[in-house]
Amino acid sequence: MSGMPSTRPAVAVAGAGLRGTAYARRMRESGRGRVVAVAEPDPGRRARFAAEHGIPPELAFAGWREMAAAGRVADGVVIATQDAEHAEPAIAFAGLGCHLLLEKPMATGEADAVRVLEAVERAGVMLAVCHVLRYTPYTRALRELVRAGRIGAPISVQHLEPVGWWHHAHSYVRGNWRREDESGPMLMTKSCHDVDWLVHVMGEVPARVGSFGRLTHFRPENRPAGAADRCTGCAVEPDCPYSATRLYLGCLGDPEREEWPLGAVTRDRTEDGVLRALREGPYGRCVYACDNDVVDHQVVSMEFPSGATASFTMTAFSPFAQRQTRIFGSAGCVEGDGVRLLVRDFVTGEVETIEPGGGREAPDGRHAAADDALADAFAEALASGDPSALGSDGRQSLASHRVVWAAERARHAGTVVDLTPPPAKGTAIP
Ligand SMILES: NC(=O)c1ccc[n+]([C@@H]2O[C@H](COP(=O)([O-])OP(=O)(O)OC[C@H]3O[C@@H](n4cnc5c(N)ncnc54)[C@H](O)[C@@H]3O)[C@@H](O)[C@H]2O)c1
């Protein structure tokens, strides 16, 4: 990435929640972009966001539709609304000639994702879907060494996404991504990152996929005897791994954890405020008495056109940690823990350790450095008009999203799914 661009592009944000706020803050703090407009229905969030960025009232909108109705208010729009509201704003803002930084998923269904790609290509605007993992030095180093043939031909891949027991309870049992009908299957809401990353690192899109997985544990029949509907006042809470009171009260005093996960629960950072939110809101519910239906573990098997295979496991029942990957090649293998790469050469038997760095990459699996790098890349692409700073384009995102949808079809049907070629013109290149 080059240095600071000479012009500072204007950026608008649709959805001033956790993600929209983080990208916008990075643009302001890095000085790479000017955040000139916001669309956010929550008046408190909207006011805080507008104050942080000095946005005048006429450019602080109650929703993305109102912002779109005002015309092209910025060079680029960050779309960080919830999953079900990605496709429509993306199509609307592309139609206005705005470049897009679009949170994943592109859309909750394949037909809408195709419509997004078509709108973007028709308008000739840039689209970066927030595949944040593509932006880490770790990913770049791994991809480069595979491409350079350091391990010969990559033949087998083992990839693990350890979601983490409390993170799973927070997001996928009590929180925003707990129900397929409200957001999507967990393979999309969580692991589209992993599938996209595997496609990116392997340099090819799988030709066939199979998948197993289900909601095994977070079900009413596993509710311990004596458990209450909420953690506050529950007799068995002290011994429960999924205690909401332990999780959220434990965030108080730690600015990062107050931001997330506590920020999704309440903005009141006092003990009383947290307990009130747990008594009244969704995050205080017993994990065995929620309305969740997404899986808590899943495996996906992939076969690539080259004949290489990959197995991917996503599980709730782990520490909250970085993804772990092993790629076995014809001349060597590489093992990565999200921070460090160990490359073994089959000729010499020697192992080289590569530590690509990555600034704020936290050891517990969060990807702040990648988020920053993505915001920087988008601002750079806006300033230069050159999409090469971006880690992916719309076709690549559609190609990896299609693998996710195919895996879900395979899981539901108990079969292997052949991936048909992407419907858009040409061939998607990972
Ligand atoms: N790339 C990643 O690693 C990553 C990580 C977490 C979440 N996400 C995705 O980012 C998106 C946002 O997640 P979040 O955690 O920031 O959610 P959030 O709920 O904190 O933020 C969403 C915001 O959109 C606002 N909103 C609702 N309707 C709107 C409308 N009509 N116009 C404008 N704003 C509207 C909400 O009020 C809310 O403030 C989701 O799609 C999620 O899947 C991506």
Side-chain angles (χ1 to χ4, degrees), residues 13-21 23 38-42 45 61-67 79-86 89 102-105 129-133 172 176-177 183 188-190 192-193 260 263-264 323 367 371 374:
V13 173
L18 294 172
R19 306 295 299 172
T21 298
Y23 293 127
V38 62
E40 167 59 54
D42 182 303
R45 285 186 182 179
F61 301 92
W64 68 263
R65 287 178 198 281
E66 290 82 348
M67 185 158 82
I79 300 176
T81 40
Q82 278 299 340
D83 300 7
E85 273 200 296
H86 286 182
L102 174 60
E103 260 306 350
K104 43 62 54 175
V129 175
C130 296
H131 300 300
V132 288
L133 297 180
Y172 306 99
N176 288 334
W177 297 279
S183 56
M188 179 56 81
T189 59
K190 179 63 178 155
C192 72
H193 285 308
W260 186 86
R323 282 125 168 135
H367 42 62
D371 296 348
L374 171 55

Side-chain angles (χ1 to χ4, degrees), residues 188-212:
M188 179 56 81
T189 59
K190 179 63 178 155
S191 299
C192 72
H193 285 308
D194 298 276
V195 171
D196 179 76
W197 187 85
L198 286 167
V199 167
H200 183 56
V201 169
M202 291 298 282
E204 51 180 349
V205 180
R208 301 201 301 161
V209 295
S211 183
F212 297 95

Side-chain angles (χ1 to χ4, degrees), residues 75-159:
D75 305 308
V77 180
V78 176
I79 300 176
T81 40
Q82 278 299 340
D83 300 7
E85 273 200 296
H86 286 182
E88 294 310 323
I91 291 166
F93 290 115
L96 290 169
C98 301
H99 303 289
L100 305 177
L101 183 67
L102 174 60
E103 260 306 350
K104 43 62 54 175
M106 284 174 83
T108 50
E110 193 164 343
D112 279 343
V114 172
R115 287 173 59 227
V116 170
L117 180 64
E118 286 170 353
V120 160
E121 294 197 336
R122 198 165 43 240
V125 296
M126 295 183 278
L127 166 65
V129 175
C130 296
H131 300 300
V132 288
L133 297 180
R134 288 192 180 220
Y135 292 81
T136 65
Y138 171 85
T139 299
R140 274 201 293 274
L142 176 59
R143 185 166 184 260
E144 281 317 309
L145 77 83
V146 171
R147 290 211 148 191
R150 281 286 306 277
I151 59 167
I155 309 249
S156 306
V157 184
Q158 242 184 5
H159 181 71

Side-chain angles (χ1 to χ4, degrees), residues 134-310:
R134 288 192 180 220
Y135 292 81
T136 65
Y138 171 85
T139 299
R140 274 201 293 274
L142 176 59
R143 185 166 184 260
E144 281 317 309
L145 77 83
V146 171
R147 290 211 148 191
R150 281 286 306 277
I151 59 167
I155 309 249
S156 306
V157 184
Q158 242 184 5
H159 181 71
L160 173 69
E161 158 62 315
V163 178
W165 80 101
W166 61 262
H167 176 208
H168 190 94
H170 171 77
S171 292
Y172 306 99
V173 180
R174 299 180 171 116
N176 288 334
W177 297 279
R178 71 192 182 281
R179 289 183 63 87
E180 282 204 19
D181 61 353
E182 288 186 9
S183 56
M186 189 160 169
L187 194 65
M188 179 56 81
T189 59
K190 179 63 178 155
S191 299
C192 72
H193 285 308
D194 298 276
V195 171
D196 179 76
W197 187 85
L198 286 167
V199 167
H200 183 56
V201 169
M202 291 298 282
E204 51 180 349
V205 180
R208 301 201 301 161
V209 295
S211 183
F212 297 95
R214 62 180 63 189
L215 175 58
T216 296
H217 184 68
F218 298 103
R219 309 175 68 95
E221 56 267 38
N222 291 323
R223 182 168 166 160
D229 285 350
R230 286 185 177 271
C231 296
T232 42
C234 171
V236 301
E237 175 275 325
D239 296 322
C240 178
Y242 306 102
S243 160
T245 38
R246 185 185 316 118
L247 170 59
Y248 298 115
L249 287 176
C251 295
L252 291 173
D254 176 339
E256 278 199 12
R257 299 189 74 216
E258 284 185 357
E259 196 64 36
W260 186 86
L262 187 60
V265 178
T266 177
R267 291 206 60 79
D268 186 337
R269 274 101 196 240
T270 63
E271 192 170 322
D272 281 353
V274 172
L275 289 172
R276 189 176 322 112
L278 298 186
R279 273 194 304 274
E280 295 168 4
Y283 290 94
R285 292 179 293 174
C286 171
V287 289
Y288 306 103
C290 288
D291 55 347
N292 57 308
D293 64 7
V294 300
V295 300
D296 50 27
H297 64 113
Q298 185 164 355
V299 294
V300 180
S301 303
M302 307 173 209
E303 185 183 59
F304 293 88
S306 65
T309 53

